[in-house]
């Protein structure tokens, strides 16, 4: 009898050992990279991807932390091969995905790919439905590092089941792949996906607008500010290895410099994945000033991984707080209005304990912080302390972002 029990225990342990899960140790801070969709939609080919990988390195973006080069929709061939394996479009990607992954890896970067839980992708290419294990195996063989998994043509499939199935397929294929869910927040993935994926989209698609919705007929594209509002209250669900994803960046795609700065800053305040959506081969110096601001990126990438909190809404002015490692805080003023706004920060009024996530307190009444203005360069960025109230002008559709560090003497 004892032997039977011992064997049953061994069997149970072995089952446990092979039990599927998501890959751990990935995206401990929000992922950073580039994706083809926002700028190029279906117009992609291997030359573009190679040039983008080169530009990522040449423009200093790789050194700043942008790591993934992600193919979005439309890389696929029209048919699977005779064995049912997914293939790339041989005209657009004549060298194949494996060669592309090698090229990207040689530059110290990682390659991402895109599929869909339904029979077809949103762009009408072949989806993974019924081929999940085969597709995961193919990506692993190609050396892919990231999968964005979309939600078109899924009819009445259960979302949790479909995403867990692909998670398990990726795990079985054995190559650590970041799993990025793109289900638009329809089934509230933040409530159930922390052990399924490394990030989940919180909303429908972004388009290049600060605060206007775009009607596409059957669906609407959302502005940066709409997405900010829809993601603001989900902070308790995010953390290292499992992030709210408010969609890819539109920085450099046509908003004003102030709007781009505000969009980028608020994504950092949200601890969002920073996935560039512009043409980085031809990126302007102005846009690079935003994308390469390492002190702002550090707000997004702070190891605590706590999403920021909207503390105040005063008409068009908002104040956001984000706890950072080492007792520091990000303090961000956002002006959504069309006029510049003057505001006096009375620090004691921002005394706050983050009961919901980090349990940390600002303690402005009892602690003094040094103020560093993160959008100002050099010595001028040191703007005194929180000992007395601070007057600030926030331009229209712009932000002022401070890093507050406990004063040591
Ligand atoms: C959906 C996704 C987008 C993009 C397109 C591709 O709309 O939400 O991010 O991947 O599909 O067709």
């Amino acid at each position: 009898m004892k032997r039977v029990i011992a064997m049953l225990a061994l069997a149970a342990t072995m089952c446990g050992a092979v039990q599927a899960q998501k890959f751990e140790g990935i995206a401990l801070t929000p992922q950073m990279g580039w994706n083809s969709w926002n700028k190029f939609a279906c117009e992609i080919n291997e030359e573009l991807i190679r040039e983008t990988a080169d530009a990522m390195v040449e423009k200093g973006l790789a050194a700043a932390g942008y790591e993934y080069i992600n193919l979005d929709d439309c890389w696929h061939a029209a048919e699977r091969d005779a064995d049912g394996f997914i293939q790339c479009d041989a005209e657009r990607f004549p060298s194949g995905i494996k060669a592309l992954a090698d090229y990207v890896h040689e530059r110290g970067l990682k390659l991402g790919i895109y599929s869909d839980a339904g029979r077809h992708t949103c762009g009408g290419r072949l989806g993974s439905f019924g081929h999940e294990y085969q597709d995961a195996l193919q990506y692993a063989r190609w050396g892919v590092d990231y999968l964005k998994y979309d939600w078109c043509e899924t009819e009445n499939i259960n979302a949790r089941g479909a995403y867990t199935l692909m998670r398990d397929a990726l795990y079985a294929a054995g190559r650590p792949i970041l799993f990025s869910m793109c289900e638009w927040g329809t089934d509230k993935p933040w409530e159930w996906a922390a052990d399924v994926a490394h990030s989940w989209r919180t909303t429908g698609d972004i388009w290049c607008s600060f605060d206007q919705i775009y009607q596409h007929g059957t669906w609407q594209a959302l502005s940066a500010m709409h997405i900010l509002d829809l993601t603001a209250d989900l902070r308790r669900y995010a953390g290292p290895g499992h992030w709210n994803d408010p969609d890819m960046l539109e920085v450099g795609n046509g908003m004003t410099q102030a709007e781009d700065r505000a969009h980028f800053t608020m994504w950092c305040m949200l601890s969002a994945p920073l996935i560039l959506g512009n043409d980085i081969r031809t990126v302007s110096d102005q846009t690079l000033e935003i994308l390469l601001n390492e002190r702002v990126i550090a707000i997004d990438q702070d190891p605590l991984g706590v999403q920021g909190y909207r503390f105040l809404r005063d008409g068009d002015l908002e104040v956001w707080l984000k706890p950072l490692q080492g007792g520091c805080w990000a303090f961000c003023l956002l002006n959504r209005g069309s006029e510049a706004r003057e505001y006096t920060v009375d620090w004691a009024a921002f005394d706050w304990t983050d009961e919901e996530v980090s349990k940390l307190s600002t303690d402005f009444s009892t602690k003094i912080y040094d103020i560093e203005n993160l959008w100002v360069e050099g010595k001028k960025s040191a703007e005194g302390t929180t000992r007395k109230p601070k007057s600030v002008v926030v331009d229209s559709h712009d932000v002022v972002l401070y890093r507050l560090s406990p004063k040591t003497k």
Side-chain angles (χ1 to χ4, degrees):
M1 184 64 183
K2 262 191 181 161
R3 247 182 93 176
V4 173
I5 291 173
M7 281 175 67
L8 282 174
L10 181 67
T13 316
M14 284 172 66
C15 287
V18 294
Q19 202 178 31
Q21 56 177 76
K22 76 175 191 188
F23 286 103
E24 296 298 342
I26 297 182
L28 297 182
T29 60
Q31 63 265 33
M32 294 174 65
W34 173 89
N35 173 294
S36 53
W37 185 255
N38 283 359
K39 181 72 186 177
F40 299 98
C42 274
E43 295 310 310
I44 58 171
N45 58 50
E46 63 179 41
E47 209 182 346
L48 166 70
I49 304 303
R50 287 205 195 111
E51 288 173 4
T52 299
D54 292 346
M56 200 76 139
V57 175
E58 280 159 19
K59 313 270 179 185
L61 291 158
Y66 299 92
E67 181 182 23
Y68 292 99
I69 302 280
N70 295 346
L71 302 175
D72 205 279
D73 208 345
C74 305
W75 60 269
H76 325 65
E79 309 275 345
R80 290 173 176 274
D81 74 7
D83 296 323
F85 282 99
I86 194 83
Q87 299 299 302
C88 66
D89 179 331
E91 269 176 36
R92 290 161 181 250
F93 295 90
S95 316
I97 305 296
K98 174 80 177 71
L100 201 53
D102 290 346
Y103 187 91
V104 164
H105 291 154
E106 279 160 21
R107 278 145 192 81
L109 301 168
K110 295 182 170 165
L111 187 75
I113 211 157
Y114 161 98
S115 188
D116 186 292
R119 289 183 201 283
H120 290 98
T121 70
C122 301
R125 305 307 197 271
L126 292 171
S128 290
F129 184 80
H131 291 267
E132 293 83 359
Y133 275 72
Q134 230 178 349
D135 286 358
L137 188 60
Q138 183 78 308
Y139 307 148
R141 284 179 179 157
W142 282 338
V144 165
D145 307 290
Y146 186 120
L147 174 64
K148 170 175 169 180
Y149 204 46
D150 214 341
W151 193 236
C152 274
E153 269 199 49
T154 44
E155 294 147 33
N156 53 4
I157 306 176
N158 174 277
R160 190 170 182 169
Y163 281 96
T164 305
L165 177 61
M166 190 42 120
R167 173 202 73 177
D168 293 353
L170 292 171
Y171 197 72
R175 181 177 172 88
I177 289 182
L178 188 155
F179 191 30
S180 151
M181 284 177 52
C182 178
E183 174 268 6
W184 319 312
T186 316
D187 285 280
K188 299 193 175 150
W190 43 86
E191 288 180 355
W192 49 264
D195 62 359
V196 175
H198 300 98
S199 64
W200 49 80
R201 280 274 297 279
T202 52
T203 71
D205 288 6
I206 195 169
W207 76 294
C208 184
S209 167
F210 187 70
D211 56 8
Q212 302 298 310
I213 281 183
Y214 184 85
Q215 289 297 343
H216 277 275
T218 55
W219 64 284
Q220 53 183 24
L222 303 171
S223 70
M225 290 299 108
H226 283 103
I227 292 181
L228 180 68
D229 290 340
L230 290 167
T231 310
D233 293 335
L234 303 177
R235 60 189 298 271
R236 66 180 165 282
Y237 301 106
H242 52 96
W243 306 104
N244 288 319
D245 175 5
D247 207 356
M248 304 171 293
L249 293 162
E250 290 283 8
V251 177
N253 282 344
M255 281 185 265
T256 68
Q257 184 73 356
E259 290 170 340
D260 271 354
R261 183 166 43 235
H263 168 34
F264 188 77
T265 302
M266 297 321 296
W267 261 229
C268 291
M269 290 300 286
L270 289 174
S271 303
L274 297 179
I275 305 294
L276 309 176
N278 58 322
D279 185 346
I280 62 174
R281 301 169 306 172
T282 56
V283 61
S284 70
D285 290 345
Q286 264 201 333
T287 297
L288 277 179
E289 245 171 60
I290 295 176
L291 302 179
L292 292 178
N293 187 324
E294 298 200 21
R295 294 175 302 161
V296 177
I297 293 173
I299 302 299
D300 180 75
Q301 296 288 303
D302 185 81
L304 282 190
V306 180
Q307 178 173 325
Y309 172 69
R310 177 158 51 196
F311 181 91
L312 177 85
R313 292 184 99 162
D314 177 0
D316 287 328
L317 188 85
E318 298 183 0
V319 177
W320 289 67
L321 296 169
K322 182 181 198 290
L324 306 173
Q325 207 181 37
C328 298
W329 291 82
F331 188 100
C332 180
L333 300 111
L334 165 68
N335 179 3
R336 298 169 67 148
S338 52
E339 306 284 332
R341 178 81 186 264
E342 273 185 53
Y343 187 78
T344 300
V345 184
D346 176 5
W347 298 101
F350 295 91
D351 264 349
W352 177 63
T353 300
D354 175 14
E355 302 289 358
E356 199 182 20
V357 186
S358 70
K359 314 295 179 210
L360 294 167
S361 304
T362 55
D363 291 329
F364 285 120
S365 311
T366 52
K367 262 194 210 165
I368 308 290
Y369 295 84
D370 282 319
I371 304 170
E372 183 186 1
N373 187 331
L374 300 186
W375 286 114
V376 172
E377 289 293 321
K379 279 195 182 152
K380 282 194 176 155
S381 66
E383 293 194 358
T385 74
T386 57
R387 212 180 294 275
K388 53 179 199 302
K390 184 171 176 53
S391 289
V392 48
V393 176
V394 191
D395 286 337
S396 161
H397 292 190
D398 205 345
V399 285
V400 170
L401 175 63
Y402 300 131
R403 184 185 185 98
L404 306 178
S405 314
K407 201 163 176 54
T408 43
K409 48 176 183 159

